[in-house]
Amino acid sequence: MEQRTQQSATQSLHASPHSHLNCYCALETSRKNTMANEAKPCPCDIGDRSDYGGLGQEVQIEHIKAYVVKPSGASDKAVIVIQDIFGWELPNTRYMADMLAANGYIAVCPDFFVGKEPWSPTKDWSKFQEWLKDKKPTEINKEVDAVLKYLKEQCGAKRIGTVGFCWGGVATHYVALLYPEIKAGVSVYGIVREREDKYALKSPTLFIFAENDDVIPLDQVSTLEANLKEKCTVTFQVKIFPGQTHGFVHRKREDINPADKPQIEEARKDMLNWLNKYI
């Protein structure tokens, strides 16, 4: 079952999970960073990196560190938040985890790089593939297993989903192929390319993409959608946001990008609605 939706940039679906989340965004300045290799800048721009501190705490889960934030009330629902190339400590990603917690989910953002240095906007983009060699988003089973055990045994989670951005979007797609116990996934600008079988999803998955994404061309999105339509037996949705660029859901600040705010908020609400429906 599939559905593809391309919404107008003028259509606004208010996505603030709670009004008090607005105070989380007491963020100061936008920092647009460029690569050291200016001839070939990184298409995965860090964007409007925030100075947001987070409401959760850092814990040790077996061999990895993780950021964990819990809702104000008791909950048996949890979401594994999977980082982008800039790592588990990126404030923007922790902000998304806190947003999930404000909506009733135990949110955990593990260090899927397992202590290895994340990518930095100051690095030379021509060396990205070398950096990526020991950080494959399709080689995270040991970490996923540890986090699932932690959520079940330490947090009392009975229903678990995943949300991933960029590198984490690929990882979320990968997890959806292997873990039927994951009730739902939201892959935000990420496509698995390394596996032969990329389409036999085990859990309902929402794929969010940006129309003007320099990292993921639309022909790759079309191929993904066509193959999912043919081969996938669970519910999925592919949604493209017109005019948006890679990173818009979590690395573009809605408070300083008023023209983009409706779509940023709409994408976040789509994420929450998908999780609420299937978890």
Side-chain angles (χ1 to χ4, degrees):
M1 173 177 189
E2 64 87 26
Q3 179 183 3
R4 177 173 180 164
T5 311
Q6 187 159 343
Q7 299 286 350
S8 165
T10 61
Q11 183 178 8
S12 174
L13 295 178
H14 299 291
S16 299
H18 288 290
S19 59
H20 69 264
L21 270 177
N22 293 331
C23 71
Y24 295 178
C25 265
L27 312 171
E28 296 179 0
T29 59
S30 169
R31 296 194 293 176
K32 284 284 186 180
N33 296 288
T34 57
M35 298 298 297
N37 179 11
E38 294 183 0
K40 190 176 181 182
C42 174
C44 194
D45 193 343
I46 198 169
D48 307 317
R49 179 166 182 169
S50 74
D51 296 321
Y52 178 68
L55 301 177
Q57 61 181 340
E58 294 183 6
V59 301
Q60 188 75 31
I61 302 176
E62 296 186 14
H63 63 294
I64 53 175
K65 293 182 178 179
Y67 173 79
V68 178
V69 58
K70 297 182 179 181
S72 56
S75 176
D76 64 357
K77 302 183 299 181
V79 175
I80 302 171
V81 180
I82 308 181
Q83 70 211 42
D84 60 16
I85 62 173
F86 300 111
W88 72 295
E89 294 179 297
L90 185 73
N92 305 59
T93 305
R94 295 191 174 192
Y95 175 66
M96 301 303 293
D98 287 358
M99 183 180 295
L100 289 164
N103 282 270
Y105 295 95
I106 303 162
V108 55
C109 181
D111 177 14
F112 279 101
F113 295 163
V114 197
K116 300 183 184 77
E117 185 180 2
W119 187 255
S120 166
T122 60
K123 291 183 183 294
D124 185 339
W125 182 248
S126 67
K127 297 180 179 179
F128 179 77
Q129 291 301 324
E130 180 181 347
W131 170 86
L132 188 63
K133 283 181 181 178
D134 62 350
K135 304 174 191 69
K136 296 290 187 182
T138 53
E139 297 177 359
I140 58 171
N141 300 65
K142 183 179 179 181
E143 289 69 49
V144 172
D145 292 342
V147 174
L148 287 173
K149 181 180 178 182
Y150 168 80
L151 286 172
K152 293 172 184 177
E153 296 183 0
Q154 302 296 322
C155 302
K158 297 179 180 177
R159 294 170 290 169
I160 302 171
T162 57
V163 171
F165 306 91
C166 179
W167 185 96
V170 180
T172 295
H173 182 169
Y174 174 72
V175 168
L177 296 170
L178 295 183
Y179 288 85
E181 64 193 289
I182 297 294
K183 301 301 182 184
V186 181
S187 172
V188 189
Y189 19 84
I191 295 179
V192 170
R193 299 186 181 92
E194 295 89 349
R195 281 175 64 93
E196 286 295 321
D197 183 1
K198 311 170 187 178
Y199 313 109
L201 302 174
K202 301 291 193 296
S203 56
T205 304
L206 169 63
F207 296 89
I208 292 175
F209 295 102
E211 180 184 33
N212 299 329
D213 191 326
D214 291 331
V215 181
I216 305 173
L218 287 184
D219 62 336
Q220 293 182 7
V221 178
S222 297
T223 299
L224 171 71
E225 182 184 23
N227 282 288
L228 286 172
K229 185 175 182 180
E230 178 184 351
K231 302 173 183 179
C232 184
T233 59
V234 300
T235 303
F236 72 90
Q237 181 180 354
V238 174
K239 185 167 181 177
I240 301 170
F241 281 78
Q244 291 303 314
T245 55
H246 192 82
F248 81 99
V249 179
H250 78 300
R251 293 202 302 255
K252 184 178 283 189
R253 280 172 44 189
E254 66 273 26
D255 59 330
I256 60 173
N257 294 282
D260 300 307
K261 183 177 179 179
Q263 294 201 83
I264 296 170
E265 293 187 335
E266 181 177 337
R268 293 175 180 177
K269 186 166 185 178
D270 288 343
M271 172 188 74
L272 290 167
N273 287 343
W274 192 267
L275 296 173
N276 291 340
K277 183 175 182 179
Y278 293 106
I279 293 182

